[in-house]
Amino acid sequence: SSSRVYSPGNFDSGLSSVTYPRSFKHTLGKFAAQFMGYDQHDSQELCAYLLDILHEDTNRVRKKPYVEKPEQEENESDEVAADKAWNLHLQREDSRVLENFMGQVKSRLECPVQGCGRISTTFDPSMYLSVPLPGSTDRVMKVTFVPLDLAKKCADLTVNICKNSSILGLRKHVAELAKECYNLKDDELHVEDIIIADVFQNKVWQYFAKDDDAVDRITDNDIVYAYQLEPQSVVKRAFNLYREEQDKSTTSSDSTPQQIESKSLDPAEKRKLDQDGQWQKELENCQLKMNEMEFSRLLNSTRSKKEDRLEFYTKLVKFIQGCQKCSDSDDSDKEDVPMEGTNRDSTDESLTLEEYSEMSTQFKTIRTPRELQILEYCAKKYLPIISGLGSMRKPLSEDGVALQFTIKKDMQKIGPFVARVPTNINLSNLRDLIGRRLNHALTNGASISNGDSADMSVEKSSASFASMSPMTALIRQAVLTAEPKNSKSVLESTTIGSVTESNTANVNGCPVLAKPSDEEEQELAVDKIDLAKTFALFVNLPSKVQDDIDLDAIFIKEEYLTEQQQKEKMQPDDANVSLMDCITKYGEMEQLGENDMWYCNRCKEHVQAWKKIHLYRAPPILFIHLKRFHFSSTTHRRHKLDTQVDFPLNDLDLRELVTHWDEGKEPIYDLYAVSNHFGGVGGGHYTAYAKGDDGTWCNFDDSRVTSGIDESEVVSPAAYCLYYKRKDVTFNCDKAIVEDMARGMALASEKDSSTSDRNDDMEIDNQSDSFLFCDDSAAPSGLSMSDDEPPPLTSDSSDHDLPNSYDGLPRQ
């Protein structure tokens, strides 16, 4: 049927060819079921489909070779890679449609998995541009960035991020803005050294630490902070130094713990002992000479000497072996074991467990074989701690932990601040770290050396207080308290460290300082602060240091805006969006959604890659689609944006955005047609504007055609699809083009007999009042109806009346 419309005879007659939209649409529906019926359809999909089938029908390539899609090589220039991809594409596709409508874009995909670094760059053909409306898929978030150097002011950043982005995407945006704000180099701030937190009442309520979590986990009411942490490489180096010292201490010892034989304990009993460290409590209750604090040190390989742990274990083994020789222990293998604290003959097998254990001054009475089996199991669990391979808590991680602290002076709270610290840092070294971070707040001008961050977990016991910096001395006078995030009273806080409210001053009135050698100061921070429950550490400064620290200087914030954000702030709130804004937004980096994931051949999995598009070649006819219809993955609803987009009728200059063009074919365009959509998702109506050869604009609304339309009416919030032609392109009824198209369709008909049936489904009626399909005045997406045609494409149906497939909805 299309071959008849564009047949040479019709143009030779000098008459404009017309056709019934009903017949055309009926034929179209036979080959594209999505356009059947009279529900609302998408004009952009219709135009894209028509261009595609016209290209296929007129494709000069009949035998398409297999061509693998090439990627740009590492040292390959854009020009070489683009030409190679374009020439390979022409081996399979070559038509008049391609020559006039096909452009080329550079697509760059980056794997978001940390440590992967896979980047794929391709040059792809593009028949149209689907450009987003700024703000339609964006979310504007206020984030306070806290630098590692607290002497610098904190920055209130305005982050524009895609609604479908992840927490990793948010961190990347924050990193880019922070580098620009503080004039940092790429190696001075890494994405992995930023943590996002929700802050409430001077406490971190929760961390957003999972990279693949959706950014919509952060609500609009959350107070969002982004903290720059100590570099992970520095923290790892500090931990590895500690681990090396532990290994040396372990290998230097010649003492090897003696293993014991034990009866098999019931599996249910074992699970009970393993739960929440119950075996440690049983072992503590069994011994008699140590208090809770002394015994807890033996359960921690970082707070006790190996010799002390080995001595306790040796005594425990001797006691267990003695019990195993008793008559009621159910142990047939009885050996002579020297007993401590008794003159009885240890070979006397007539002793019972109770009689034997009562003679021990180190351990409590054992009465039953079950109690003995429990003690044997606890001894086995304690064995790894002797060599420093275990402890009463989870194994230490070399990646460090995020620890929050808030400065408190009387009723005033400053913070919170977050620091990444090694898991083996003790309270004494933690005080030093806080002192270095707050050095700028000293009012007396004293300074403190930042030192080497690698030493923050290794403290020299010989350090003298005479050489202590003023800020460190002040922090060592502070009372440290740990409070849960949801605490409502100071009564819920726990004092940690050697300085308490009761001993803040000695009898001479001199301040009490927390000494590195104090037993409480050697406690590990991760043992005293429950990070899993987001406990906050409060540094309670004594009242007498009021004149030494400027609390207001500790935490200062100021707003930072990029140049683009400053320009947008100067614009009125009702300022319209320009088409250039949309095209620029189209080229910005975005993260793919869950439904558009990319397969990374390095990670061997589908990922939400980061995608960035550049316009490389622009076609003679530029088809721009404004993405007004959106589907929310969170609410599972569709909605339409009625934002007005200001687009030029003449001189759309894309030279700043397009990379390559031939001389005399600069990408400067004039508008010649617009497809409009009125209504919403549930129902609507299409009209079209088209520009004639005489330069006048016409409005096509079903069977009504109005000429002489004012140019100001063409730009409206209803504009949906825009059709531009390059300035060097002229519209005319080129007989050679029409003949070429007719020949191509004839060849296709010979190849496929079904095509002949399609040609008989459409008739030409020159006397009907219908839409003109002339090459020089057609609006590609407008379909007009005569009076005897079915009703226009309008609908008042609600969402629940629509088909489940959404075929009747505008889609993109």
Side-chain angles (χ1 to χ4, degrees):
S1 59
S2 56
S3 62
R4 294 184 180 183
V5 175
Y6 291 102
S7 63
N10 288 335
F11 289 96
D12 290 341
S13 64
L15 299 175
S16 298
S17 299
V18 294
T19 184
Y20 276 117
R22 177 182 59 187
S23 302
F24 174 77
K25 188 173 183 303
H26 174 71
T27 305
L28 184 66
K30 291 178 62 177
F31 295 92
Q34 67 267 32
F35 298 115
M36 292 181 65
Y38 288 95
D39 289 328
Q40 182 174 234
H41 303 299
D42 191 283
S43 66
Q44 181 267 338
E45 291 185 1
L46 173 63
C47 183
Y49 178 78
L50 288 175
L51 288 174
D52 184 60
I53 61 173
L54 285 174
H55 162 70
E56 289 297 332
D57 283 349
T58 61
N59 193 355
R60 302 184 184 101
V61 180
R62 293 304 170 186
K63 293 184 179 180
K64 297 183 179 182
Y66 172 76
V67 175
E68 186 175 353
K69 184 178 179 180
E71 285 191 11
Q72 185 178 14
E73 298 178 3
E74 184 175 354
N75 297 322
E76 191 175 32
S77 65
D78 285 356
E79 183 178 1
V80 173
D83 290 342
K84 179 173 67 175
W86 185 255
N87 291 331
L88 289 174
H89 181 69
L90 291 180
Q91 293 181 19
R92 294 175 52 87
E93 316 293 342
D94 185 16
S95 70
R96 291 280 187 173
V97 175
L98 180 143
E99 294 170 357
N100 288 277
F101 288 90
M102 191 69 72
Q104 191 179 29
V105 297
K106 176 184 177 182
S107 177
R108 183 182 185 274
L109 291 168
E110 179 181 353
C111 181
V113 178
Q114 188 173 344
C116 175
R118 168 82 165 98
I119 296 176
S120 172
T121 303
T122 58
F123 289 83
D124 306 316
S126 176
M127 194 171 286
Y128 57 88
L129 298 182
S130 287
V131 297
L133 276 62
S136 61
T137 59
D138 291 350
R139 178 181 177 185
V140 179
M141 301 179 63
K142 295 292 185 180
V143 179
T144 300
F145 180 80
V146 182
L148 182 61
D149 184 3
L150 294 181
K152 299 178 181 178
K153 297 180 180 179
C154 302
D156 284 334
L157 305 177
T158 301
V159 183
N160 294 276
I161 190 171
C162 179
K163 295 178 181 178
N164 296 327
S165 188
S166 62
I167 296 298
L168 176 61
L170 176 60
R171 287 165 50 200
K172 286 186 175 181
H173 278 77
V174 169
E176 292 300 323
L177 290 174
K179 290 176 185 177
E180 183 178 343
C181 176
Y182 297 98
N183 194 24
L184 300 176
K185 298 178 181 178
D186 290 341
D187 59 349
E188 293 180 308
L189 177 60
H190 300 280
V191 176
E192 59 268 21
D193 296 332
I194 294 177
I195 190 170
I196 308 296
D198 173 24
V199 175
F200 181 68
Q201 293 183 346
N202 298 101
K203 298 178 185 178
V204 172
W205 194 255
Q206 64 174 324
Y207 293 110
F208 301 100
K210 294 184 178 180
D211 289 348
D212 54 352
D213 278 354
V215 75
D216 57 11
R217 278 197 58 199
I218 304 175
T219 67
D220 294 334
N221 296 327
D222 290 339
I223 303 175
V224 184
Y225 277 64
Y227 293 93
Q228 180 185 2
L229 306 177
E230 285 75 5
Q232 197 168 61
S233 58
V234 173
V235 174
K236 286 184 177 181
R237 186 168 67 248
F239 180 83
N240 289 334
L241 289 175
Y242 156 79
R243 179 57 60 88
E244 289 176 4
E245 291 187 358
Q246 290 287 82
D247 293 342
K248 291 178 181 178
S249 174
T250 302
T251 56
S252 62
S253 176
D254 296 332
S255 301
T256 303
Q258 181 182 4
Q259 305 237 2
I260 62 171
E261 297 182 1
S262 61
K263 298 288 186 180
S264 178
L265 191 63
D266 182 68
E269 194 77 39
K270 289 182 179 180
R271 288 193 296 269
K272 182 179 178 181
L273 291 172
D274 291 339
Q275 187 176 6
D276 298 328
Q278 185 64 32
W279 69 269
Q280 301 153 6
K281 297 178 182 178
E282 290 287 343
L283 192 57
E284 179 184 353
N285 295 333
C286 178
Q287 60 84 33
L288 299 174
K289 290 199 170 184
M290 290 179 285
N291 57 34
E292 180 180 357
M293 180 172 292
E294 291 174 336
F295 185 75
S296 65
R297 291 184 61 189
L298 289 180
L299 292 175
N300 194 325
S301 60
T302 63
R303 295 169 47 213
S304 59
K305 296 180 181 180
K306 182 179 179 181
E307 291 76 10
D308 296 336
R309 299 192 297 271
L310 185 60
E311 180 183 0
F312 170 77
Y313 179 76
T314 301
K315 293 179 180 179
L316 178 62
V317 169
K318 288 183 178 180
F319 177 74
I320 291 175
Q321 290 178 340
C323 291
Q324 290 174 343
K325 297 172 62 175
C326 294
S327 58
D328 56 349
S329 66
D330 289 338
D331 193 336
S332 60
D333 184 15
K334 307 183 187 318
E335 299 179 359
D336 293 339
V337 180
M339 272 298 300
E340 56 176 339
T342 178
N343 294 324
R344 303 255 327 245
D345 185 3
S346 60
T347 60
D348 188 356
E349 298 180 2
S350 62
L351 289 177
T352 64
L353 285 172
E354 183 174 2
E355 292 174 341
Y356 179 80
S357 57
E358 281 182 349
M359 292 185 293
S360 173
T361 60
Q362 183 81 24
F363 301 98
K364 73 172 186 178
T365 303
I366 300 294
R367 293 182 172 84
T368 64
R370 176 181 172 275
E371 292 180 355
L372 177 59
Q373 292 174 2
I374 292 176
L375 185 59
E376 292 170 348
Y377 183 76
C378 293
K380 276 191 171 184
K381 296 287 289 186
Y382 182 70
L383 184 59
I385 299 179
I386 299 177
S387 301
L389 301 177
S391 67
M392 60 183 297
R393 46 175 167 68
K394 294 182 179 180
L396 299 177
S397 170
E398 66 174 2
D399 294 332
V401 293
L403 187 147
Q404 61 164 308
F405 63 93
T406 299
I407 307 302
K408 190 174 181 181
K409 172 69 171 58
D410 297 332
M411 299 302 294
Q412 185 178 1
K413 298 178 182 178
I414 308 296
F417 305 96
V418 178
R420 177 189 281 152
V421 298
T423 50
N424 59 298
I425 191 171
N426 59 30
L427 295 179
S428 177
N429 290 325
L430 181 60
R431 289 180 185 268
D432 295 342
L433 183 146
I434 296 174
R436 292 195 295 270
R437 294 287 298 273
L438 301 179
N439 180 50
H440 67 285
L442 285 173
T443 58
N444 55 7
S447 62
I448 178 173
S449 174
N450 289 331
D452 187 358
S453 298
D455 291 336
M456 56 186 169
S457 66
V458 182
E459 183 174 5
K460 307 296 186 292
S461 59
S462 60
S464 63
F465 285 96
S467 59
M468 185 181 299
S469 65
M471 178 55 72
T472 301
L474 292 177
I475 298 301
R476 287 192 176 278
Q477 298 177 43
V479 178
L480 303 182
T481 57
E483 298 180 11
K485 65 180 181 182
N486 55 353
S487 65
K488 298 180 180 179
S489 171
V490 294
L491 298 178
E492 300 180 46
S493 63
T494 302
T495 301
I496 59 177
S498 60
V499 179
T500 63
E501 292 289 346
S502 59
N503 68 353
T504 53
N506 61 16
V507 293
N508 297 323
C510 297
V512 173
L513 300 178
K515 300 177 182 179
S517 57
D518 291 342
E519 183 175 339
E520 296 85 353
E521 292 296 311
Q522 295 179 8
E523 298 272 359
L524 295 191
V526 294
D527 287 342
K528 306 304 295 183
I529 306 172
D530 192 344
L531 301 178
K533 297 181 180 180
T534 322
F535 269 62
L537 175 67
F538 280 85
V539 182
N540 301 271
L541 299 176
S543 301
K544 54 182 171 292
V545 303
Q546 182 175 3
D547 298 333
D548 298 325
I549 297 180
D550 183 4
L551 295 179
D552 295 332
I554 294 178
F555 197 79
I556 302 176
K557 297 191 298 182
E558 64 178 12
E559 185 179 25
Y560 174 78
L561 297 174
T562 63
E563 293 184 4
Q564 180 64 27
Q565 290 172 347
Q566 292 176 5
K567 292 179 182 178
E568 294 175 356
K569 190 175 182 178
M570 299 298 295
Q571 295 178 354
D573 295 336
D574 57 351
N576 294 331
V577 176
S578 70
L579 181 59
M580 288 298 292
D581 293 336
C582 298
I583 300 177
T584 302
K585 181 68 179 175
Y586 171 76
E588 290 182 357
M589 181 177 288
E590 64 174 350
Q591 191 170 24
L592 300 179
E594 294 182 355
N595 298 327
D596 302 313
M597 293 201 292
W598 170 67
Y599 181 77
C600 175
N601 57 12
R602 184 175 297 175
C603 297
K604 305 301 181 184
E605 61 182 3
H606 288 85
V607 295
Q608 291 182 253
W610 288 93
K611 183 177 182 180
K612 184 174 180 62
I613 293 179
H614 302 269
L615 301 180
Y616 189 79
R617 282 190 178 95
I621 307 299
L622 181 61
F623 172 22
I624 300 179
H625 163 228
L626 302 178
K627 299 176 69 172
R628 292 191 178 276
F629 298 95
H630 289 274
F631 175 77
S632 173
S633 59
T634 55
T635 62
H636 301 286
R637 293 183 178 180
R638 294 177 179 268
H639 66 282
K640 180 190 175 185
L641 300 172
D642 291 319
T643 305
Q644 176 160 326
V645 178
D646 290 334
F647 49 88
L649 303 186
N650 299 290
D651 299 327
L652 173 63
D653 192 348
L654 300 181
R655 287 178 294 184
E656 292 185 359
L657 300 177
V658 178
T659 305
H660 173 80
W661 63 82
D662 296 330
E663 186 177 355
K665 298 181 179 181
E666 290 81 3
I668 304 176
Y669 294 86
D670 293 332
L671 185 73
Y672 73 88
V674 180
S675 173
N676 301 308
H677 179 269
F678 297 90
V681 175
H685 178 62
Y686 280 108
T687 67
Y689 291 115
K691 187 177 183 180
D693 287 340
D694 57 357
T696 60
W697 284 91
C698 300
N699 181 24
F700 296 85
D701 186 357
D702 288 342
S703 61
R704 297 176 295 276
V705 179
T706 306
S707 61
I709 299 298
D710 189 270
E711 291 185 349
S712 60
E713 298 182 22
V714 178
V715 181
S716 71
Y720 184 47
C721 296
L722 310 177
Y723 301 88
Y724 281 91
K725 69 178 184 68
R726 207 168 56 208
K727 278 190 170 294
D728 63 290
V729 175
T730 57
F731 284 157
N732 55 65
C733 297
D734 190 333
K735 183 176 181 179
I737 295 178
V738 176
E739 291 177 347
D740 185 27
M741 295 182 67
R743 282 194 300 270
M745 292 179 180
L747 289 173
S749 299
E750 295 174 2
K751 288 275 185 183
D752 187 357
S753 59
S754 62
T755 307
S756 61
D757 297 332
R758 181 179 61 181
N759 291 338
D760 295 332
D761 290 330
M762 184 176 290
E763 296 180 354
I764 307 299
D765 188 342
N766 292 335
Q767 298 179 357
S768 64
D769 180 16
S770 58
F771 182 75
L772 298 177
F773 271 82
C774 229
D775 187 30
D776 55 25
S777 61
S781 58
L783 295 180
S784 178
M785 299 287 183
S786 60
D787 294 336
D788 60 344
E789 291 294 309
L793 302 181
T794 59
S795 173
D796 295 325
S797 61
S798 59
D799 287 341
H800 61 269
D801 295 326
L802 298 173
N804 294 332
S805 63
Y806 286 95
D807 283 340
L809 295 179
R811 308 182 294 279
Q812 36 213 47

